[in-house]
Amino acid sequence: MNHYITGETVRRLRTARRMTQAQLARKLGVTDKAVSKWETARGLPDISLLEPLAAALGVSVPELLSGEQVVNANRSANILRSALYVCPVCGNIIHSSGAAVVSCCGVSLPPLEAEEPDEAHRLVRESFDGEYVFSVPHEMRKGHYISFMAHVTTGRFDLVKLYPEGLSEARFEPRGGGWLYWYCNRHGLFREKL
């Protein structure tokens, strides 16, 4: 994070809650002059006031520090907005149904960005015994393999873990639409609309 709390953030959040400087000061046990100094960048709130200040302004501490309020208008999760993370140290696969801050083995993980498959990572679909069988004609050596496949629909997330020296295929029940994701440990995440 490049900055502490900005005066503009405090002022914007305070006025959005229709609160005067004096009202905010009373809630925090400080003077209205102190709040005025914060808002005009002539002073900063003490670190011990971060949590009470965030609570008084109706935001989390990270939102207060970043100056960006997180508003989730869609309270029901949409699994199609899933984010996938893979730890480069242990290979752990982490799924979130929305934005998250994720770390594993002491490493902060960015969400993977899915790409269109190239010829070396193309998807093969077959129907067998009432299920779909998806495969990728890809080598499955210890150093280079497909790590997982996942079928994602609006209400369901199914993941099949794959292993080196095994098959690069997975079976999923037909659920109508959605996306199929697969991850190559060297070339990243791929996806295709079903």
Side-chain angles (χ1 to χ4, degrees):
M1 200 160 307
N2 295 333
H3 62 277
Y4 192 56
I5 303 165
T6 66
E8 172 57 31
T9 298
V10 174
R11 187 197 59 73
R12 181 174 42 79
L13 293 171
R14 177 186 58 78
T15 57
R17 295 189 68 83
R18 295 189 171 110
M19 196 183 315
T20 65
Q21 287 180 345
Q23 290 169 323
L24 178 59
R26 272 194 300 278
K27 284 186 175 200
L28 299 172
V30 298
T31 66
D32 56 341
K33 289 182 181 180
V35 174
S36 176
K37 284 184 178 182
W38 301 342
E39 291 184 3
T40 57
R42 292 180 290 135
L44 295 171
D46 186 76
I47 195 161
S48 65
L49 291 173
L50 285 183
E51 286 185 33
L53 179 59
L57 296 173
V59 296
S60 67
V61 173
E63 289 172 307
L64 181 64
L65 291 172
S66 70
E68 295 179 17
Q69 193 169 1
V70 177
V71 178
N72 185 1
N74 180 7
R75 295 287 180 205
S76 61
N78 183 343
I79 301 297
L80 289 175
R81 295 186 185 132
S82 291
L84 291 163
Y85 307 82
V86 174
C87 178
V89 178
C90 70
N92 190 14
I93 303 161
I94 302 163
H95 164 252
S96 71
S97 60
V101 176
V102 176
S103 67
C104 187
C105 298
V107 178
S108 290
L109 305 177
L112 298 173
E113 292 186 29
E115 299 178 13
E116 294 293 319
D118 55 18
E119 187 57 32
H121 297 93
R122 69 177 159 53
L123 185 66
V124 177
R125 305 179 206 199
E126 297 177 277
S127 182
F128 181 75
D129 235 8
E131 292 183 315
Y132 290 120
V133 178
F134 296 98
S135 62
V136 178
H138 191 281
E139 60 187 330
M140 294 293 282
R141 293 182 289 122
K142 286 189 179 192
H144 191 196
Y145 60 96
I146 301 297
S147 174
F148 68 85
M149 287 186 175
H151 183 208
V152 182
T153 62
T154 56
R156 192 167 178 121
F157 181 91
D158 294 318
L159 184 132
V160 174
K161 177 73 175 116
L162 304 174
Y163 297 95
E165 299 175 7
L167 297 174
S168 61
E169 69 177 37
R171 291 175 173 239
F172 296 103
E173 291 179 29
R175 291 208 165 77
W179 291 89
L180 190 83
Y181 290 86
W182 61 100
Y183 179 78
C184 171
N185 72 322
R186 281 197 187 164
H187 299 102
L189 186 67
F190 299 94
R191 80 174 183 175
E192 191 169 299
K193 191 161 183 64
L194 299 178

